[in-house]
Amino acid sequence: MATKKPETPPPNPVRVPDRDDSDSVVLERVPLRVKPPGMYQVVMLNDDYTPMEFVVVVIQEFFGKDLEAATQIMLKIHLDGKGVCGVYSKDVATTKVDQVLDAAHKAGHPLKCLAEPVEF
């Protein structure tokens, strides 16, 4: 035979005493000032072995530049020793550097690429 548990009465609602405005506290909301994330420029470095045509193709493929813009960047890399391919957030810039280095390695070229913080 099963025993029946006695029913427990519902709990009494909690009552909060009424207060007047004299002892209330008002907090002022202070907006946080957050700096935007730092930007990084993807820089390609010149070498004497990687073909110019390969550099142009890499710039077009990974940085979305047209032929003319990619050629201009390639010439800047060739003449100045380095050239900026684009400016991105840190994660995107790092990914682009990895993509360029991987493509260069697979093609057997010593092309170097790095991400540098942009200073304003």
Side-chain angles (χ1 to χ4, degrees):
M1 185 190 284
T3 60
K4 189 174 181 183
K5 291 185 180 180
E7 291 184 28
T8 57
N12 291 335
V14 178
R15 297 188 68 174
V16 178
D18 295 328
R19 295 184 176 206
D20 59 18
D21 290 335
S22 63
D23 61 345
S24 62
V25 177
V26 177
L27 296 177
E28 182 179 336
R29 180 173 283 208
V30 178
L32 296 175
R33 293 199 172 100
V34 180
K35 289 197 277 185
M39 299 301 283
Y40 287 74
Q41 58 188 8
V42 178
V43 179
M44 236 181 258
L45 304 176
N46 187 41
D47 64 64
D48 293 332
Y49 303 101
T50 305
M52 293 180 181
E53 295 81 12
F54 179 79
V55 174
V56 171
V57 169
V58 165
I59 293 170
Q60 286 180 296
E61 185 174 336
F62 297 116
F63 299 98
K65 306 292 184 185
D66 61 18
L67 180 60
E68 185 176 339
T71 303
Q72 290 299 317
I73 294 169
M74 178 274 300
L75 288 173
K76 177 142 181 70
I77 295 166
H78 181 70
L79 297 173
D80 297 344
K82 66 179 184 177
V84 177
C85 299
V87 178
Y88 307 94
S89 66
K90 184 176 184 178
D91 292 339
V92 174
T94 303
T95 300
K96 298 240 182 234
V97 168
D98 291 343
Q99 290 173 330
V100 169
L101 294 177
D102 186 51
H105 178 73
K106 285 179 180 175
H109 301 302
L111 182 64
K112 298 295 176 203
C113 186
L114 51 96
E116 297 177 339
V118 175
E119 298 174 14
F120 292 103

